[in-house]
Amino acid sequence: MDYAELEARLIDIRRQLHQFPELSLEEYETTKRIKEWLTEKNIVIKRTTLKTGVFADIKGKYDSPKVAIRADIDALPIEEETNLPYASKVKGKMHACGHDFHTAALIGAAYLLQKSKDTLPGSIRLLFQPAEESGGGAELVKADEQLKDIDYIIGLHNKPDLPVGTIGLKNGAMMAAVDRFIVEINGKGSHAALPHAGHDPIVASAHLITAIQTIVSRNVSPLEGAVISITRIVGGNTWNVIPNKVTLEGTIRTFSNSIRQEVKKRFELVVQQTSLAFGQQAKVHWYPGPPALINDLKVNQSLHRTAEKQLLTVIDPEPSMGGEDFSHYLEDIRGAFVFFGTNGTEDWHHPKFTIDELALMPAAKFLYESAKDLLKLTNKKDIGGDRK
Ligand code: NI
């Protein structure tokens, strides 16, 4: 298969996936197709306890070192509005984050690696990960021990605001840690005309919402990034009754474990003490998402060299306040995540989100070349040593 043939094939694969998007943990048809595309080239599928997602091995000259390449495969509950000839055929579901692009690029890399496997100085594990959008997919992969023997791991995400041929490589923190919270403020309801007879949770909430914003401005260094957003307020039923309870919901985004812990600690304190000052009881429910995504310096340097050899334009991207569960892998394994320019008109999760398919082959080639270069780079005593 020459370049043009492979490109046509990958575009076809991507369009097939695009027309049949499946939500997190429902990726059954996607899983089936990925397996077919891999076995077509005699790539060995690994056993797994996961119901969706595919793990496969390409064994080179040696069993180790091992480089894992990850693509996420799930779509979103969004109604597509692109009017493309290959738009989603499933009502209310769409590949609006380009995971179809990631999957097709990894199939392309797999084909190239399989073709040159006799010359690989190590082995490759392909991870087609389910449930990135809903969260939990990376943890399932880890729990299934798909990464136990992996030395390095890489992955990419399309980036619509970068042109095709541009790659974003970031040393250190690149995407935020995600925490979701629900706060219950339990006051005491009363007649609206007799507020002194109760403890008004609406007034307490107003103070609390304002006080919470001082955590980022007064407790986090101005040189660090963090955000707290309250996105939902529920309380009261009518105009002349002060309710018993107000519920607030929102999210905290941070870029390091220490700041994450500090912000959460301050949040608890401000919520509890402010509520107390108004004679009320608060309860905070935490729903932790992925940790901050922190790239390994040495792996990033290797990717940088690979990108330059491939004549890609390398930029240092702004970190994203969004979360990405690839970060779970980087807690245990040296690796890096990159942004790959796809020249789209809309950002991720938009109903008119598109990708320039000219980026597909460069992405596949980048994953292929990067994995090969990482296999060559491996120096056993370096692995897993100093990164914590
Ligand atoms: Ni995504």
Side-chain angles (χ1 to χ4, degrees), residues 17-319:
L17 293 167
H18 195 84
Q19 289 178 70
F20 297 100
E22 294 176 298
L23 303 182
S24 304
L25 299 178
E26 296 173 5
E27 309 96 334
Y28 291 101
E29 182 61 28
T30 307
T31 295
K32 199 178 128 214
R33 288 180 191 211
I34 293 168
K35 283 183 181 166
E36 284 167 5
W37 291 322
L38 294 175
T39 44
E40 187 186 302
K41 300 282 178 205
N42 302 315
I43 295 169
V44 181
I45 310 288
K46 274 194 86 221
R47 292 172 70 96
T48 173
T49 59
L50 272 69
K51 293 197 170 61
T52 57
V54 182
F55 311 104
D57 279 345
I58 297 172
K59 198 170 172 311
K61 277 194 292 186
Y62 316 107
D63 206 33
S64 70
K66 250 187 202 129
V67 171
I69 318 175
R70 174 273 210 173
D72 42 13
I73 64 171
D74 53 337
L76 287 157
I78 292 174
E79 180 75 25
E80 179 158 352
E81 294 174 13
T82 61
N83 288 322
L84 286 166
Y86 55 89
S88 171
K89 287 191 173 14
V90 187
K91 206 167 163 40
K93 296 179 191 173
M94 177 189 179
H95 268 293
C97 200
H99 297 185
D100 51 342
F101 173 86
H102 307 159
T103 305
L106 183 51
I107 297 276
Y111 283 6
L112 293 165
L113 286 159
Q114 175 73 351
K115 212 169 126 188
S116 60
K117 67 180 184 139
D118 295 339
T119 64
L120 293 179
S123 293
I124 304 289
R125 175 144 316 140
L126 310 166
L127 303 175
F128 293 89
Q129 182 210 300
E132 192 280 326
E133 297 292 358
S134 68
E139 284 150 302
L140 287 174
V141 172
K142 276 171 86 167
D144 198 42
E145 304 202 330
Q146 296 291 341
L147 294 171
K148 260 202 134 174
D149 49 351
I150 299 301
D151 299 300
Y152 295 112
I153 185 161
I154 53 170
L156 62 76
H157 206 291
N158 69 85
K159 197 81 167 72
D161 58 350
L162 297 180
V164 173
T166 296
I167 187 168
L169 291 171
K170 183 110 211 135
N171 287 332
M174 175 153 133
M175 297 188 78
V178 178
D179 284 294
R180 173 182 160 219
F181 57 79
I182 294 178
V183 177
E184 284 173 40
I185 303 153
N186 294 296
K188 185 169 172 244
S190 66
H191 193 295
L194 304 166
H196 59 287
H199 297 293
D200 185 350
I202 289 186
V203 172
S205 304
H207 281 267
L208 207 145
I209 291 164
T210 310
I212 281 167
Q213 290 308 319
T214 65
I215 298 172
V216 172
S217 68
R218 301 293 93 174
N219 301 123
V220 176
S221 158
L223 300 176
E224 301 281 352
V227 67
I228 304 177
S229 290
I230 303 246
T231 54
R232 197 168 70 93
I233 307 176
V234 184
N237 290 310
T238 187
W239 67 281
N240 58 357
V241 178
I242 292 170
N244 277 321
K245 181 174 150 178
V246 168
T247 304
L248 307 173
E249 186 170 2
T251 183
I252 298 177
R253 307 292 166 109
T254 47
F255 283 109
S256 76
N257 209 19
S258 59
I259 294 174
R260 184 184 200 183
Q261 296 318 322
E262 176 63 16
V263 169
K264 286 174 79 174
K265 204 174 92 196
R266 289 289 309 158
F267 185 92
E268 277 277 357
L269 200 68
V270 171
V271 167
Q272 297 301 346
Q273 302 284 345
T274 308
S275 303
L276 207 60
F278 289 91
Q280 334 211 351
Q281 296 286 330
K283 176 131 189 59
V284 184
H285 304 269
W286 290 105
Y287 305 89
L293 188 148
I294 300 176
N295 288 323
D296 182 85
L297 188 63
K298 184 178 155 187
V299 173
N300 236 13
Q301 282 166 347
S302 173
L303 297 185
H304 204 289
R305 287 192 293 270
T306 309
E308 283 182 339
K309 267 194 292 178
Q310 221 182 306
L311 303 178
L312 294 167
T313 305
V314 180
I315 61 149
D316 177 20
E318 254 188 32

